[in-house]
Amino acid sequence: MKVVIVGGVAGGATAAARIRRLDEQAEIIVFERSGYVSYANCGLPYYIGDVITDQEELTLQTPGSFFLRFRVTMKVRHEVIALHPEEKTVSVKNLETGEVFEESYDKLLLSPGAKPTQPRIPGTGIGKLFTLRTVEDTFRIKEYIRRNHPRSAVLSGGGFIGLELAENLKNLGMEVTIVQRPKQLMNPFDPDMASFIHGAMRRHGVRLALGQTVEGFEEKEGGVDVLLKEGEPLHADMVVLAIGVTPDTQLAKDAGLELGIKGSIIVNDRMETSVPDIYAVGDAVQVKHFVTGQEALISLAGPANKQGRIAADNICGGDSRYQGALGSSVIQVFDMTAAATGINEKTAVKAGLKVDKVILSPMSHAGYYPGGKVMTMKVVFEKESGRLLGAQIVGYDGVDKRIDVLATAIHAGMKAAGLKELDLAYAPPYSSAKDPVNMAGFMIDNISRGILKQFHAEDVGSLPRDGSVILLDVRTEGEYGRGHAEGFVNIPVDELRERVGELENGKTVYVMCQSGLRSYIGARILAGYGYDVYNFSGGYRFYDGVMNDRCLIESATACGM
């Protein structure tokens, strides 16, 4: 059997190695148009920022090492320029010599990846404007910085690459601005959770120009002006486009393969395309989202590697199936960590699901053990079925651990309330006896049993201020004095039983505290006295962060912050 693979990196290289492990006699050829067949794509921003200092560390495998270990022929700087399914051949161009030749195959695997999205606006060909996708892109940016010592940069786009590059350029001493059309960074997060990411970026000096449409670029005064639809241009010494990626599928289109979202390659759960003996994996393919079952594009290394393995199994006569992607992700934002899995609230609502959520702010480990830090968790679930849909966490220590537990729970089909049953590892330096994941389960269980009723940040502004309901803040007087939501009166929770007579009978009570814990205790006290009580989800810390960020985003003068 002869297998030709178009593209290396995650999906293609993984498939090549797996095929060899399953079939020692197979002839395997990989064509990669760049100079690197297997490299750490996710590490590229950190090489630019000198976190990774040796460029050799970016290269996971070389053609030589791959051949030595697996006897796979890796041809770099070779671009496949046409597919011929009827003849079962591909046309290949040697980019160093210009030679074009035909290569036959029994099975063909496409792993072309995605290319940086290029907006159709003036000035995209300017020399001081870069994209970051390949090792070669990284070296170009690195060399420009070394030679020109730029003092400022504008990054167009606030996704993974934009944020990681912003941190690394800032750590090199540059003034960094992120500009993008959406009013929030990081689309996998809901706006309320993204507000914590905004806060971290601003605290470290990164300016955010959110809700701004880029209309073009102009060379000016030795740098680049980023032209905005509304507002003054942003000037910088260099600009990086990081507005997303587009499936690189012209080959597939020309060969008549069935295409889907944004021109992505349609595959079944065996990673087979619409043409016999042609498989496809990675950023170029359309997959099903594990939670919604809807078609999706998920450009992440984890799914690409799994798809490569599945395609290899099936090429070698097996029957492996891809169950869909959760889109689990984690990102470092200076000293903070943000992670997400499944779908967020806005996506769930858009999909027509009736959802609820819990927001909590537990400590990363036992409160009595030094060094614990607060994290904020948002867990989204389906109201009627209790199905766990997704989660987002921002914090410092232990964020990745909890998001992985929640991703596993979603994949296993657990009910949200079932999180309370998980038997998770505990020692004071690492967790609490009631792990944050368990705490989310306890809260959801209370909601499902009618013990807990909630109100949320988006509800606060519409609460009556005419005395028809009671708005109660149960923090200490000192906390209340440092800031509180409009219209909320203060009775500390430890005084509530003695002062319950100050609250008028028959009125609904909305209770708030710093994190949601004391207000829950207060709500249970008041329920015991016959009050109809709602607890504020997330606490004042969450509310204050969300409200401040919303004001900043919506303020015309704050868009350049």
Side-chain angles (χ1 to χ4, degrees):
M1 178 177 65
K2 182 177 180 181
V3 182
V4 169
I5 298 176
V6 181
V9 196
T14 294
R18 176 69 172 172
I19 292 169
R20 173 58 71 226
R21 289 194 293 269
L22 296 176
D23 187 342
E24 183 61 26
Q25 306 307 317
E27 181 183 358
I28 308 167
I29 304 174
V30 179
F31 294 111
E32 168 60 46
R33 65 187 168 198
S34 78
Y36 301 86
V37 73
S38 181
Y39 59 88
N41 188 287
C42 299
L44 301 182
Y46 299 97
Y47 176 72
I48 292 171
D50 287 338
V51 176
I52 300 170
T53 56
D54 185 355
Q55 70 180 51
E56 298 298 324
E57 295 293 329
L58 297 174
T59 305
L60 305 178
Q61 291 279 359
T62 65
S65 67
F66 217 99
F67 184 81
L68 184 64
R69 178 65 54 87
F70 298 109
R71 296 302 189 270
V72 170
T73 301
M74 293 280 193
K75 291 186 175 292
V76 296
R77 298 187 180 88
H78 280 68
E79 181 176 9
V80 174
I81 57 175
L83 313 179
H84 310 292
E86 299 82 6
E87 294 83 20
K88 300 189 80 169
T89 63
V90 297
S91 298
V92 186
K93 182 177 183 180
N94 184 326
L95 298 180
E96 293 183 338
T97 67
E99 174 195 5
V100 176
F101 59 92
E102 302 293 304
E103 190 75 53
S104 64
Y105 66 84
D106 296 311
K107 304 287 185 180
L108 176 65
L109 175 64
L110 304 178
S111 181
K115 55 189 176 184
T117 302
Q118 292 276 9
R120 296 181 179 179
I121 55 178
T124 53
I126 291 174
K128 296 181 178 66
L129 193 150
F130 302 88
T131 58
L132 179 57
R133 183 69 180 173
T134 66
V135 174
E136 287 88 348
D137 294 337
T138 307
F139 292 162
R140 279 193 290 269
I141 294 173
K142 185 80 168 179
E143 182 64 13
Y144 178 82
I145 293 172
R146 187 186 69 82
R147 286 180 176 272
N148 297 280
H149 307 289
R151 293 177 296 177
S152 60
V154 168
L155 310 180
S156 180
F160 290 98
I161 291 296
L163 264 65
E164 290 168 348
L165 195 53
E167 176 180 346
N168 280 279
L169 295 181
K170 188 67 183 176
N171 289 340
L172 290 178
M174 293 190 205
E175 291 297 322
V176 179
T177 301
I178 296 177
V179 57
Q180 66 167 16
R181 184 182 301 169
K183 290 187 176 182
Q184 70 162 81
L185 303 174
M186 294 298 292
N187 191 54
F189 293 81
D190 285 313
D192 50 11
M193 297 298 286
S195 67
F196 291 94
I197 300 174
H198 299 166
M201 299 300 283
R202 291 183 177 116
R203 281 195 305 274
H204 288 86
V206 176
R207 303 170 69 212
L208 303 181
L210 306 176
Q212 295 277 14
T213 300
V214 176
E215 291 198 319
F217 306 94
E218 287 183 358
E219 288 192 273
K220 191 173 182 180
E221 298 174 1
V224 181
D225 270 4
V226 180
L227 308 179
L228 305 179
K229 185 175 182 179
E230 296 179 1
E232 294 297 316
L234 299 172
H235 184 78
D237 296 329
M238 63 181 292
V239 174
V240 181
L241 287 177
I243 59 176
V245 294
T246 303
D248 192 356
T249 56
Q250 190 63 47
L251 273 177
K253 180 180 179 180
D254 293 343
L257 275 66
E258 187 178 357
L259 303 181
I261 302 170
K262 293 185 178 180
S264 58
I265 302 170
I266 291 179
V267 294
N268 61 18
D269 59 358
R270 288 169 48 86
M271 309 313 296
E272 295 170 321
T273 71
S274 59
V275 175
D277 294 323
I278 300 181
Y279 298 74
V281 300
D283 295 354
V285 306
Q286 174 180 291
V287 299
K288 289 190 181 297
H289 197 286
F290 185 87
V291 174
T292 65
Q294 296 177 346
E295 308 298 342
L297 294 178
I298 298 179
S299 299
L300 294 169
N305 277 281
K306 294 178 185 70
Q307 293 160 17
R309 178 185 173 93
I310 288 167
D313 286 352
N314 295 321
I315 286 170
C316 294
D319 187 24
S320 292
R321 307 277 174 162
Y322 187 61
Q323 298 182 34
L326 275 174
S328 301
S329 60
V330 63
I331 185 171
Q332 177 180 293
V333 186
F334 292 95
D335 58 344
M336 194 177 77
T337 300
T341 189
I343 58 174
N344 57 30
E345 184 183 6
K346 62 186 177 186
T347 301
V349 171
K350 188 176 180 180
L353 300 173
K354 294 182 179 180
V355 301
D356 205 347
K357 61 196 174 190
V358 293
I359 299 167
L360 59 157
S361 298
M363 295 289 285
S364 57
H365 62 242
Y368 61 83
Y369 189 88
K373 295 181 179 179
V374 172
M375 67 177 71
T376 299
M377 300 175 58
K378 180 175 184 177
V379 180
V380 181
F381 58 98
E382 198 168 24
K383 277 187 177 180
E384 293 183 3
S385 68
R387 181 167 65 113
L388 191 58
L389 300 176
Q392 303 151 60
I393 311 176
V394 292
Y396 299 89
D397 297 334
V399 169
D400 54 340
K401 167 185 173 179
R402 274 66 185 216
I403 208 69
D404 284 343
V405 171
L406 289 161
T408 303
I410 295 172
H411 187 87
M414 286 182 58
K415 301 292 186 182
L419 297 174
K420 72 182 190 298
E421 306 292 349
L422 293 177
D423 191 356
L424 303 174
Y426 159 63
Y430 303 105
S431 184
S432 300
K434 297 176 183 177
D435 189 86
V437 173
N438 295 138
M439 292 301 299
F442 295 145
M443 293 171 67
I444 295 167
D445 181 60
N446 281 339
I447 291 171
S448 66
R449 294 167 60 187
I451 295 172
L452 172 64
K453 293 192 290 186
Q454 299 186 108
F455 69 108
H456 303 284
E458 60 267 27
D459 303 321
V460 175
S462 61
L463 292 175
R465 262 70 175 185
D466 58 2
S468 59
V469 299
I470 298 170
L471 307 179
L472 180 64
D473 188 321
V474 296
R475 295 177 296 162
T476 65
E477 290 183 8
E479 290 173 299
Y480 179 82
R482 288 190 289 272
H484 56 269
E486 178 189 356
F488 280 71
V489 298
N490 180 226
I491 300 178
V493 66
D494 293 336
E495 302 174 16
L496 188 55
R497 290 182 178 88
E498 289 72 29
R499 296 176 60 182
V500 71
E502 299 177 23
L503 305 178
E504 187 175 341
N505 288 323
K507 290 186 176 180
T508 300
V509 186
Y510 294 85
V511 191
M512 181 184 289
C513 75
Q514 189 70 10
S515 68
L517 176 58
R518 284 174 290 173
S519 55
Y520 169 64
I521 295 170
R524 296 310 304 151
I525 291 171
L526 293 175
Y529 283 91
Y531 289 90
D532 182 28
V533 191
Y534 289 80
N535 182 43
F536 182 67
S537 178
Y540 182 79
R541 172 183 174 272
F542 176 82
Y543 168 79
D544 187 47
V546 171
M547 293 302 109
N548 282 340
D549 193 63
R550 184 173 298 167
C551 292
L552 285 168
I553 290 174
E554 293 177 352
S555 168
T557 59
C559 286
M561 289 186 65

